[in-house]
Amino acid sequence: MNAQTDKPVLPHSDYRSSHLEEGEDYHAKFEEQVYRALIWSLEREALGALIAARPDAGRARLLDFACGTGRVLGALSRHAGTATGVDISASMLAVAERVAPGTELICADLTRESPLKDRQFDVITAFRFFPNAEPALREEAMGVLARLLAPGGSIIINNHRRAGSSKHRLRKLRARLGIAKAKDLHTMSDAEVSTLAERHGLVVNNVRTLGFLPVLKERRPLLPRGILLRLERRAAQVQWLEELGSHRIYELRHASPAAAR
Ligand SMILES: C[S@@+](CC[C@H](N)C(=O)[O-])C[C@H]1O[C@@H](n2cnc3c(N)ncnc32)[C@H](O)[C@@H]1O
């Protein structure tokens, strides 16, 4: 927490350089850390369902922006006609070559270069990017993705730092007690997602909420995986618990009716 402004400190001043040295260790967390792996299995289900519900399922041109190690790209490529991943980090992409074989991988910063030229995509995903990125980068990236989105297309982003969630509330309480790390208090709200989308001619069309339990120790949570999974699935069916989910997936579409079709 910044003592002068009482605002959470951003984890990165320029998120572009955050993963330039990362790769296998980052990827392994989604298999080895019990709660992170559980949330990823639920996210995979939700993503698969969103894409399967599209009229172009199996044929869509997929772009995974900030694809990192190819986690999302590898899981979704079989639901797509073509699959392209772009990331600024060569070391993250080196892992993606193994995790997402047969996909097109491009090392670039789409906010500063245009390797995709005038190509268009039906489905664009961006996971673990927007909540982590600083406001200026969020803005630039959403502008680029909106321009790359084909008429009738969907941008699907996640927010794993959702403001007001049970996890965020617990972290705020810990901060008051002096035992939380400042970077953990950084969040993104639903309103920030909606207004970011609106500024780029997009609207939130659909959401899925996950991660209801305030689990801070993703590696070794206090409850066994099977029980956590049952509780998460049960909580997802209770509407008044929506507010507490720390992970949310948003499907964005063009706001103008002509481009939304
Ligand atoms: C937390 S990782 C997420 C990777 C992957 N999407 C996932 O969910 O596992 C964030 C990624 O954003 C990438 N990144 C940051 N700024 C970028 C930019 N301007 N253009 C492309 N990639 C960027 C980083 O290199 C990093 O691989």
Side-chain angles (χ1 to χ4, degrees):
M1 195 75 87
N2 180 325
Q4 266 118 48
T5 62
D6 202 33
K7 286 244 173 190
V9 174
L10 276 171
H12 306 277
S13 55
D14 186 352
Y15 194 59
R16 290 177 175 88
S17 54
S18 60
H19 289 70
L20 294 180
E21 308 290 324
E22 296 215 38
E24 291 291 357
D25 286 355
Y26 170 87
H27 193 73
K29 288 181 193 163
F30 294 89
E31 285 156 14
E32 290 167 5
Q33 297 196 354
V34 174
Y35 190 67
R36 192 177 280 220
L38 183 152
I39 292 294
W40 171 220
S41 71
L42 294 172
E43 282 179 329
R44 238 180 355 239
E45 270 178 34
L47 271 170
L50 272 174
I51 291 181
R54 292 184 51 83
D56 57 9
R59 293 181 284 112
R61 294 161 293 178
L62 167 71
L63 169 66
D64 188 21
F65 171 71
C67 68
T69 58
R71 181 173 70 97
V72 173
L73 185 65
L76 295 188
S77 59
R78 67 194 163 90
H79 299 294
T82 62
T84 302
V86 179
D87 200 281
I88 200 170
S89 165
S91 58
M92 294 288 272
L93 287 173
V95 181
E97 281 176 24
R98 168 176 63 77
V99 174
T103 62
E104 177 188 29
L105 296 173
I106 300 172
C107 190
D109 176 353
L110 290 190
T111 65
R112 291 178 175 166
E113 310 156 72
S114 309
L116 298 170
K117 302 206 169 72
D118 53 2
R119 284 169 67 182
Q120 295 257 285
F121 296 87
D122 306 301
V123 176
I124 301 179
T125 46
F127 267 59
R128 288 192 167 243
F129 176 81
F130 282 100
N132 288 339
E134 64 278 14
L137 179 56
R138 287 179 184 174
E139 211 63 57
E140 285 178 71
M142 192 58 86
V144 171
L145 301 190
R147 286 194 290 280
L148 290 168
L149 187 66
S154 301
I155 296 178
I156 306 175
I157 66 169
N158 92 314
N159 179 4
H160 57 291
R161 293 179 173 273
R162 188 166 172 244
S165 64
S166 61
K167 196 183 219 176
H168 180 219
R169 288 168 199 226
L170 180 57
R171 281 184 165 150
K172 281 209 303 200
L173 176 66
R174 285 164 60 89
R176 258 180 243 134
L177 300 172
I179 48 176
K181 292 187 203 144
K183 75 175 179 64
D184 288 339
L185 294 172
H186 173 62
T187 56
M188 188 170 192
S189 67
D190 292 340
E192 283 177 292
V193 174
S194 306
T195 54
L196 177 64
E198 281 160 20
R199 282 196 293 275
H200 297 282
L202 303 163
V203 283
V204 176
N205 180 59
N206 204 346
V207 297
R208 283 290 302 271
T209 312
L210 317 152
F212 297 92
L213 302 167
V215 175
L216 299 184
K217 289 188 175 152
E218 293 195 321
R219 182 178 295 280
R220 227 170 284 126
L222 297 175
L223 297 172
R225 186 187 191 282
I227 294 181
L228 288 173
L229 183 60
R230 246 176 286 152
L231 291 173
E232 289 290 350
R233 285 201 192 284
R234 188 66 64 86
Q237 290 164 356
V238 181
Q239 198 163 2
W240 60 266
L241 288 178
E242 278 270 295
E243 278 305 300
L244 297 183
S246 57
H247 292 243
R248 187 168 257 199
I249 295 174
Y250 310 77
E251 184 201 17
L252 315 177
R253 309 201 75 170
H254 287 295
S256 97
R261 278 197 289 274

